[in-house]
């Protein structure tokens, strides 16, 4: 069995008297689509920031591509594509300009970026919007562009923090289609969501983070048993 791209053991993050992440364990294999499912405040985004090497942990161990993100932050980040919960695109720039500048940030050549932009515009279904300023795009288009931007550097791992939050049902399904396409291409995905149907559509396995009986609990679940998971979650919500 090959070594996982991400290995997390006993990950804990404490803010004062509040424990945001309470000792979770999980591995993410190459080419897997892995999810963190839970309600707002369950520590999903905090976990993602730790994985993205932009936040420190209180205790536990994290290895990404055999490296500790706290010790080798820039090196780890060079292999990651990050899609934050809130779109942080430059609204004054065009779709193409946003992709180009982000690629140059990674030190990629102009020739490589120009070719990559064409590929990503097709992926995001934004070919006809290439010269439109971002501020004029719909929410769904901005979200697809943010994902495309995260793929500019051809990362080993794509981190997506609640990628469809705030989108209407049609925009959500278009985005699901784009992410499922990445999954079929073998891209390693790690995403957070509080939608059970989204987890079912996109994830092979996930960590379910719940607050039960005033105590945080985490469960790693294989999506093959998803029908039982849904029934169990509904029962827990009534407790």
């Amino acid at each position: 069995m090959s070594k996982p791209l991400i290995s997390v053991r006993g990950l804990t993050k404490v803010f004062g008297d509040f424990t945001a992440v309470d000792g979770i364990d999980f591995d993410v294999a190459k080419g897997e689509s892995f999810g963190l499912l839970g309600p707002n405040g369950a520590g999903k985004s905090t976990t993602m920031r730790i994985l993205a090497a932009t936040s420190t942990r209180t205790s536990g161990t994290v290895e990404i591509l055999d490296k500790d993100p706290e010790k080798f932050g820039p090196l780890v980040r060079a292999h990651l594509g990050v899609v934050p919960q809130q779109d942080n695109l430059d609204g004054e720039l065009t779709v193409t300009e946003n992709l180009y500048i982000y690629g140059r940030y990674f030190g990629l050549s102009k020739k490589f970026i120009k070719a990559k932009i064409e590929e990503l515009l097709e992926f995001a279904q934004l070919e006809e919007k290439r010269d439109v300023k971002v501020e004029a795009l719909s929410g769904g288009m901005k979200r697809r562009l943010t994902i495309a931007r995260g793929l500019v550097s051809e990362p080993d791992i794509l981190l997506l923090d609640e990628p469809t939050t705030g989108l209407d049902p049609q925009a959500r399904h278009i985005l699901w289609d784009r992410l499922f396409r990445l999954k079929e291409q073998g891209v390693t995905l790690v995403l957070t969501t509080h939608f059970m149907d989204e987890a079912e559509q996109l994830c092979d396995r996930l960590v379910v983070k719940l607050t039960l009986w005033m105590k945080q609990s985490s469960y790693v679940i294989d999506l093959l048993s998803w029908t039982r998971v849904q029934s169990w979650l509904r029962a827990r919500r009534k407790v």
Side-chain angles (χ1 to χ4, degrees):
M1 186 175 180
S2 59
K3 192 169 184 179
L5 294 189
I6 299 175
S7 181
V8 174
R9 294 292 180 273
L11 177 60
T12 302
K13 179 68 175 183
V14 177
F15 297 97
D17 296 330
F18 175 68
T19 301
V21 182
D22 191 8
I24 62 174
D25 305 324
F26 62 87
D27 293 325
V28 181
K30 181 180 177 64
E32 183 175 24
S33 181
F34 189 86
L36 287 84
L37 172 67
N40 293 332
K44 303 185 304 296
S45 294
T46 300
T47 301
M48 292 291 269
R49 286 193 291 270
I50 293 171
L51 295 179
T54 59
S55 179
T56 59
R57 58 189 181 272
T58 302
S59 62
T61 62
V62 177
E63 284 192 356
I64 300 176
L65 300 170
D66 293 327
K67 292 178 174 58
D68 184 334
E70 285 191 22
K71 296 178 180 178
F72 302 96
L75 190 58
V76 168
R77 286 192 292 271
H79 293 273
L80 301 178
V82 178
V83 179
Q85 190 172 137
Q86 301 295 327
D87 295 325
N88 55 358
L89 301 162
D90 192 322
E92 291 297 315
L93 298 180
T94 67
V95 168
T96 297
E97 288 168 343
N98 267 272
L99 294 174
Y100 181 81
I101 290 174
Y102 197 72
R104 293 296 287 167
Y105 169 79
F106 277 93
L108 303 173
S109 71
K110 295 179 181 180
K111 182 179 180 181
F112 176 88
I113 296 172
K114 288 180 179 179
K116 193 66 180 177
I117 285 174
E118 296 305 314
E119 175 188 326
L120 292 173
L121 288 175
E122 185 279 329
F123 165 80
Q125 298 179 321
L126 292 172
E127 297 102 318
E128 296 181 1
K129 302 291 184 180
R130 64 172 65 238
D131 296 320
V132 175
K133 287 188 176 181
V134 165
E135 62 187 6
L137 299 179
S138 68
M141 290 177 181
K142 289 178 182 177
R143 208 66 184 132
R144 297 202 303 272
L145 178 57
T146 303
I147 292 173
R149 188 188 62 178
L151 295 167
V152 165
S153 62
E154 298 186 343
D156 294 298
I157 302 166
L158 185 63
L159 305 177
L160 305 110
D161 194 0
E162 298 192 6
T164 65
T165 295
L167 300 184
D168 61 58
Q170 182 180 11
R172 283 184 72 206
H173 282 87
I174 292 173
L175 195 57
W176 283 0
D177 178 73
R178 299 296 90 185
L179 293 177
F180 190 75
R181 180 173 164 182
L182 289 177
K183 180 180 172 182
E184 287 186 319
Q185 293 171 354
V187 176
T188 302
L189 305 176
V190 181
L191 64 96
T192 70
T193 183
H194 51 258
F195 299 117
M196 287 189 285
D197 58 338
E198 184 162 278
E200 182 179 15
Q201 289 289 329
L202 298 176
C203 299
D204 301 311
R205 292 186 308 123
L206 54 82
V207 170
V208 179
K209 287 188 60 59
L210 298 173
T211 302
L212 303 177
W213 306 292
M214 303 304 292
K215 183 180 186 301
Q216 281 200 358
S217 301
S218 300
Y219 306 85
V220 178
I221 294 174
D222 191 311
L223 265 291
L224 291 175
S225 58
W226 185 247
T227 300
R228 286 187 297 150
V229 173
Q230 288 180 310
S231 299
W232 183 83
L233 286 173
R234 291 189 187 102
R236 290 295 93 208
R237 290 171 64 184
K238 295 177 181 178
V239 173

